[in-house]
Amino acid sequence: MGKDYYKVLGVSRGASEADIKKAYRKMALKYHPDKNKSPDAEERFKEVSEAYEVLSDADKRSIFDKYGEEGLKARGGGAGGPGAGPSFGQAFGNGGQHFTYTSFGGDDARATFSRVFGTDNPFANLFDMDMDGLDSPPRSNSGFQSFGFPSGMMAQGMGPGSGMGRGGPGMGSMSFGSGANGNGRRSPQDSTITRKLPLGLEELAHGCTKKMKISKTMINESGYERQEDKILTVEVKPGWKAGTKVTFSKEGNQRPGVVPADVVFVIEEKPHTAFKRDGNDLVYTARLSLKEALCGCTVTVPTLQGSSLRMKFDNPIPPAHVHRVPSRGMPISKTLGESGDLVVRFTIDFPNHLTPEQKAILKDVL
């Protein structure tokens, strides 16, 4: 009795093309001779590859369903030569198809594997994993954002969590080996996934911790794809500017023969109701009436620390006047303990109309 290719792959006769491919991937990874050192692994690897070659082709599968493996062999004569694998001719019987069949060799099995997985050896990228640098505690937790990821990935803000990953420029949370495939060549890497991380001036001034929960595709040793949740932690340092990048190395979806993509968050500065940032300086614009500008006044200026500064001006304030308060601006991230200035500019409201009497008074006093 011939082989039952459906049984070899563990699928039903009504299995879809996707089910057959999924079953092959699982079995091929399980019995690949480079990984499985049991005595029968090589033979099982050839067998599942042979089954896939037949069941993944609609014409071959149709003939197998009618005549089985013995039917395929009986209608051929070994035309392909040793190691040629299943081969199929043009005519058979009463105007039908004719199939020639030869033994399925090790080279054919590896060729099938390479074609389906895109590499001769995906194991270097899939299973050589180690953790690094994930033990730095967060300072605080605040304002969580949501991000969308392509190809089955997603990320959403988390509350205080486990701190499974640690952010920072050039830092990753997992290492997937050297990235070289079985032939010693570097495997290609998926394109970088870049997302904006909007932050307020208060968050950028004081520093904060953002926890992002991502769901990504992983492949286990049996070839099954599964969704895995992971928390990436972005530690925002005081004084970071818009455009600062936080990179998590190789945190994208896993695909055979391809190095997972890097995930990069780019800091974006939210508009503020009171301040504009100019480098390391904070700029505040005070609005004055003409009377206040000419006669003097006291201006109350808010700060990012929550307090207010009261500034008294006894002399007239010209429209282009700028008042600086040293070291009350944004922290300088690269210089510990130093900050920019708080810069106060003035907008003066002029009256749209003056009565003759008002004009006369102004002429007398100016």
Side-chain angles (χ1 to χ4, degrees):
M1 184 176 179
K3 298 175 184 176
D4 184 344
Y5 291 137
Y6 292 102
K7 186 175 181 180
V8 170
L9 293 181
V11 298
S12 67
R13 286 189 169 269
S16 67
E17 183 179 344
D19 291 336
I20 291 170
K21 187 172 184 178
K22 183 176 181 180
Y24 167 75
R25 287 163 62 91
K26 172 187 174 182
M27 303 295 284
L29 285 172
K30 180 178 180 180
Y31 292 110
H32 196 292
D34 291 349
K35 178 177 178 293
N36 191 327
K37 302 303 180 183
S38 61
D40 65 338
E42 178 92 28
E43 193 59 36
R44 293 297 302 274
F45 181 64
K46 296 177 186 177
E47 192 175 53
V48 297
S49 299
E50 180 180 334
Y52 176 74
E53 285 291 348
V54 172
L55 298 183
S56 63
D57 183 278
D59 293 332
K60 302 175 189 178
R61 181 177 179 180
S62 175
I63 297 303
F64 175 76
D65 287 344
K66 293 178 181 179
Y67 304 105
E69 184 203 17
E70 296 299 329
L72 290 174
K73 291 181 178 180
R75 288 164 178 79
S87 58
F88 299 84
Q90 297 297 321
F92 159 84
N94 301 316
Q97 294 174 308
H98 176 67
F99 296 85
T100 59
Y101 187 94
T102 60
S103 61
F104 201 90
D107 290 341
D108 302 297
R110 287 182 178 271
T112 300
F113 185 92
S114 180
R115 175 165 52 82
V116 173
F117 283 87
T119 179
D120 293 334
N121 179 19
F123 304 110
N125 294 328
L126 294 181
F127 309 122
D128 185 17
M129 300 170 59
D130 60 272
M131 304 294 289
D132 63 351
L134 305 181
D135 57 352
S136 183
R139 289 189 298 276
S140 63
N141 297 283
S142 60
F144 311 107
Q145 307 296 323
S146 297
F147 298 89
F149 286 70
S151 303
M153 291 188 68
M154 67 178 185
Q156 60 186 26
M158 291 287 292
S162 63
M164 293 172 63
R166 179 171 171 272
M171 299 189 66
S173 57
M174 296 193 76
S175 172
F176 285 78
S178 66
N181 60 25
N183 297 323
R185 297 187 297 269
R186 290 192 64 81
S187 298
Q189 184 174 17
D190 271 336
S191 299
T192 300
I193 301 168
T194 303
R195 290 293 179 269
K196 294 178 181 179
L197 178 55
L199 298 173
L201 276 180
E202 287 84 359
E203 293 172 310
L204 292 171
H206 306 309
C208 63
T209 297
K210 295 291 184 179
K211 291 183 179 295
M212 306 306 302
K213 179 182 177 182
I214 66 170
S215 180
K216 60 180 181 177
T217 300
M218 303 288 287
I219 301 178
N220 62 21
E221 294 188 6
S222 298
Y224 278 122
E225 291 184 356
R226 59 184 174 85
Q227 292 297 304
E228 178 180 283
D229 292 339
K230 186 172 183 180
I231 297 174
L232 304 180
T233 301
V234 180
E235 294 189 40
V236 180
K237 295 182 180 180
W240 273 8
K241 299 178 180 178
T244 300
K245 294 181 179 180
V246 184
T247 301
F248 292 88
S249 180
K250 304 181 183 69
E251 286 291 0
N253 292 325
Q254 285 191 2
R255 293 194 298 129
V258 178
V259 178
D262 293 341
V263 177
V264 178
F265 294 101
V266 181
I267 301 301
E268 185 179 67
E269 187 178 295
K270 295 180 182 178
H272 197 273
T273 56
F275 298 103
K276 288 187 178 181
R277 185 175 183 174
D278 183 10
N280 295 315
D281 294 338
L282 284 177
V283 180
Y284 176 78
T285 300
R287 195 178 192 95
L288 305 179
S289 67
L290 181 58
K291 178 182 176 180
E292 290 173 322
L294 292 174
C295 302
C297 62
T298 298
V299 178
T300 301
V301 179
T303 68
L304 291 179
Q305 289 72 33
S307 59
S308 298
L309 299 177
R310 290 176 60 82
M311 304 176 186
K312 186 176 181 180
F313 297 91
D314 295 323
N315 296 318
I317 302 172
H321 182 67
V322 174
H323 183 77
R324 283 185 172 269
V325 182
S327 302
R328 295 304 294 266
M330 294 293 291
I332 300 175
S333 60
K334 295 182 180 179
T335 308
L336 185 64
E338 292 191 14
S339 299
D341 297 341
L342 173 59
V343 179
V344 182
R345 302 183 186 276
F346 299 91
T347 295
I348 301 173
D349 293 331
F350 283 79
N352 295 323
H353 175 74
L354 291 174
T355 66
E357 292 78 9
Q358 290 172 326
K359 291 180 182 180
I361 293 172
L362 287 174
K363 287 178 181 180
D364 290 338
V365 298
L366 292 178

